[in-house]
C-alpha cells in the first residue's frame, strides 16, 4: 500500500453489526445505498426505453440472454471489487484469465483428459497462483498496486505470445466438455419459433456472488479489508495483517479470473490469446459505477451486479435503439462520469449537513 486514502465514514467497520440486506444493499443515509438506488433507477428507465422501442424485449428470454452474456465478466468484476475495497487495484485479471484458460485447455489436450472438473481445477489454480504472486510482490516491495498488476499483465501476455506461441485453440481442438459447458442450459422455455434456456453459467454466478458477499461481510478478513481501504495506517496499528489480506484478496481475484477465462472460451468456443485484451475498462467501469472507489473502503456486491447489468444491457440493446456497437464505450464512460458526479455532490451535501448539525 503506497497511498493513504481519506477515511470513508460510510464504510463498514470491523465489528459493525448490520443485516445481510444492508450489506448487499446499503440504506438510510449511506452514500453507497443512494448510489445503488440511482443505478437501479437508471437501469429501470433504460429498460422502459428499450421496451418502448422493442416490445418483445421485456421477457424471460432477454433475462436469460443477459445472464449468459454477463455472467463471466460479473464474476471477474467481483474479484476486482475485493481488491478495490482494500484500496488496491488489479488490471492483470483478463491477461490472467486468458492465460489460465489457454493452459487448462492445452493441458487437457496434451494429457487426453476431457473433463470440465480438471480444466476448472487447472484454470482456477493458475489464476490463484498469479494472484498470490501479485499480492506477495506488492507487500514485499511496497509497490503501487497499479504498477505491479500492469507489469504482471505485460508478463502474462509475453508468456502467451513468446513462450506458448500465441496459437489460438479452435473449437475442433477443444475438449468436448468445454464446448458443452458454454452451450448447456438448466432448463428451456418457448421463445418465438424456438426455445431459449437459462445458461449453466447461472450456477457459478450465484455461487461467486454468495461467496464474495460472505467473504466481505461475514469474515474477519472482509471487515479488515474495508478497514484497510478506509484507513490503512489505523488498520495496521489495530493489528490488521497486511500480508494476509493481500494474499487472500489477490489470490481470490486470481481464482475468479481463472474461472472467468474458462467460461469465456467455452462460450465462444475459441481460446484466442488476444481475445480479451482491452476489455479491462468494461470490468473496472462496472465496479466503479457500482459504488466502489479507487481509494478503497467502499463497494458492495449488489453494486457490482447492477453495474455489470447496466453495461451488459447497453452492449446487448444498442442495436435495438438504432445505434452501432461503437456507442457502447461512450455510454459506459458517460454513465461513470454522471454517477461519480452525482455521488460526489450528494456526499458533499451530507458532509455539510453533518457540520451544521455538529455546530448545533
Amino acid at each position: 500500500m503506497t497511498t493513504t486514502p481519506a477515511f470513508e465514514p460510510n464504510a463498514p467497520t470491523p465489528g459493525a453489526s448490520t443485516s445481510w440486506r444492508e450489506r448487499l444493499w446499503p440504506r438510510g443515509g449511506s452514500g453507497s445505498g443512494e448510489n445503488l438506488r440511482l443505478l437501479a433507477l437508471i437501469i429501470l428507465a433504460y429498460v422502459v426505453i428499450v421496451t418502448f422501442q422493442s416490445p418483445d424485449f421485456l421477457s424471460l428470454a432477454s433475462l436469460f440472454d443477459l445472464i449468459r452474456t454477463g455472467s463471466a465478466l460479473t464474476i471477474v468484476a467481483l474479484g476486482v471489487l475485493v481488491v478495490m475495497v482494500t484500496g488496491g487495484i488489479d488490471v492483470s485479471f483478463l491477461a490472467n484469465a486468458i492465460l489460465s484458460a489457454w493452459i487448462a485447455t492445452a493441458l487437457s489436450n496434451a494429457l487426453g483428459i476431457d473433463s470440465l472438473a480438471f480444466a476448472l481445477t487447472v484454470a482456477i489454480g493458475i489464476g490463484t497462483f498469479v494472484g498470490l504472486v501479485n499480492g506477495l510482490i506488492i507487500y514485499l516491495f511496497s509497490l503501487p498496486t497499479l504498477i505491479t498488476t500492469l507489469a504482471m499483465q505485460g508478463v502474462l501476455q509475453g508468456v502467451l505470445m513468446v513462450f506458448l506461441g500465441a496459437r489460438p485453440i479452435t473449437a475442433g481442438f477443444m475438449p468436448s466438455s468445454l464446448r458443452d459447458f458454454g452451450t448447456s442450459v438448466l432448463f428451456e422455455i418457448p421463445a418465438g419459433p424456438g426455445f431459449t434456456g437459462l445458461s449453466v453459467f447461472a450456477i457459478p454466478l450465484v455461487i461467486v456472488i454468495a461467496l464474495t458477499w460472505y467473504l466481505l461481510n461475514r469474515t474477519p478478513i472482509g471487515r479488515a479489508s474495508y478497514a484497510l481501504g478506509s484507513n490503512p495506517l489505523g488498520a495496521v496499528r489495530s493489528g490488521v495483517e497486511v500480508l494476509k489480506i493481500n494474499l487472500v484478496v489477490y489470490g481470490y481475484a486470481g481464482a475468479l479470473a481463472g474461472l472467468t477465462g474458462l467460461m469465456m472460451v467455452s462460450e465462444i468456443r475459441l481460446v484466442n490469446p488476444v481475445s480479451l485484451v482491452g476489455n479491462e475498462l468494461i470490468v473496472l467501469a462496472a465496479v466503479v459505477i457500482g459504488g466502489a472507489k479507487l481509494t478503497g473502503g467502499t463497494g458492495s456486491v449488489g453494486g457490482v451486479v447492477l453495474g455489470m447489468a447496466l453495461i451488459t444491457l447497453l452492449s446487448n440493446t444498442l442495436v435495438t435503439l438504432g445505434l452501432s456497437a461503437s456507442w457502447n464505450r461512450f455510454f459506459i464512460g458517460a454513465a461513470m462520469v454522471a454517477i461519480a458526479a452525482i455521488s460526489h455532490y450528494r456526499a458533499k451535501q451530507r458532509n455539510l449537513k453533518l457540520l451544521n448539525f455538529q455546530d448545533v
Side-chain angles (χ1 to χ4, degrees):
M1 307 301 300
T2 59
T3 59
T4 305
F7 177 71
E8 170 57 54
N10 294 321
T13 55
S17 176
T18 53
S19 70
W20 68 269
R21 291 185 180 85
E22 191 171 355
R23 289 288 190 178
L24 183 65
W25 190 283
R27 60 187 179 183
S30 165
S32 296
E34 291 179 354
N35 187 78
L36 293 186
R37 284 186 283 276
L38 174 63
L39 191 51
L41 285 175
I42 291 174
I43 292 175
L44 181 61
Y46 185 76
V47 168
V48 169
I49 293 172
V50 176
T51 303
F52 181 77
Q53 192 74 16
S54 175
D56 294 337
F57 173 73
L58 198 60
S59 64
L60 274 179
S62 298
L63 178 62
F64 288 174
D65 186 57
L66 183 69
I67 292 173
R68 180 182 61 79
T69 56
S71 292
L73 289 183
T74 301
I75 286 174
V76 78
L78 288 169
V80 174
L81 166 69
V82 172
V83 172
M84 287 181 66
V85 161
T86 66
I89 188 169
D90 184 355
V91 295
S92 66
F93 50 89
L94 288 185
N96 188 2
I98 193 63
L99 176 69
S100 302
W102 196 97
I103 293 178
T105 306
L107 197 59
S108 296
N109 289 336
L111 299 178
I113 300 176
D114 190 354
S115 166
L116 178 61
F118 174 78
L120 282 172
T121 302
V122 173
I124 293 174
I126 293 172
T128 304
F129 174 75
V130 172
L132 290 174
V133 172
N134 272 336
L136 191 61
I137 291 176
I138 290 168
Y139 175 79
L140 290 179
F141 301 101
S142 299
L143 294 175
T145 55
L146 175 62
I147 300 301
T148 303
T149 56
L150 193 60
M152 179 61 74
Q153 180 192 59
V155 169
L156 298 179
Q157 290 174 347
V159 169
L160 271 170
M161 303 297 287
V162 178
F163 295 102
L164 301 181
R167 297 183 303 277
I169 302 175
T170 57
F173 295 93
M174 290 177 65
S176 60
S177 57
L178 282 186
R179 296 197 303 269
D180 295 342
F181 181 47
T183 57
S184 298
V185 295
L186 296 175
F187 60 87
E188 290 183 320
I189 60 171
F195 291 86
T196 187
L198 177 61
S199 171
V200 293
F201 287 177
I203 296 177
L205 176 64
V206 171
I207 291 174
V208 170
I209 287 175
L211 193 60
T212 306
W213 177 86
Y214 186 84
L215 173 67
L216 287 177
N217 302 295
R218 284 292 181 272
T219 67
I221 287 180
R223 292 189 288 271
S225 296
Y226 277 110
L228 191 61
S230 297
N231 187 346
L233 184 59
V236 171
R237 286 177 175 172
S238 64
V240 170
E241 299 178 58
V242 178
L243 175 60
K244 182 178 178 181
I245 300 299
N246 274 8
L247 292 179
V248 171
V249 300
Y250 285 95
Y252 184 71
L256 296 190
L259 173 60
T260 295
L262 210 61
M263 291 172 65
M264 297 191 80
V265 300
S266 66
E267 182 185 1
I268 62 175
R269 295 187 166 196
L270 175 67
V271 189
N272 186 351
V274 296
S275 61
L276 299 179
V277 176
N279 288 321
E280 289 84 359
L281 175 63
I282 294 176
V283 177
L284 292 172
V287 181
V288 173
I289 288 174
K293 293 181 179 177
L294 296 177
T295 49
T298 61
S300 68
V301 172
V304 171
V305 172
L306 286 182
M308 188 55 73
L310 176 61
I311 289 175
T312 308
L313 270 173
L314 289 171
S315 301
N316 292 359
T317 58
L318 285 179
V319 176
T320 305
L321 298 177
L323 299 174
S324 69
S326 304
W327 283 90
N328 189 29
R329 297 209 172 202
F330 170 81
F331 283 114
I332 291 174
M336 287 181 65
V337 172
I339 291 177
I342 293 174
S343 298
H344 176 74
Y345 174 77
R346 289 181 177 275
K348 188 176 179 181
Q349 294 301 311
R350 283 196 305 274
N351 290 336
L352 288 174
K353 289 180 180 178
L354 180 61
L355 290 174
N356 289 336
F357 176 78
Q358 288 178 334
D359 289 341
V360 172

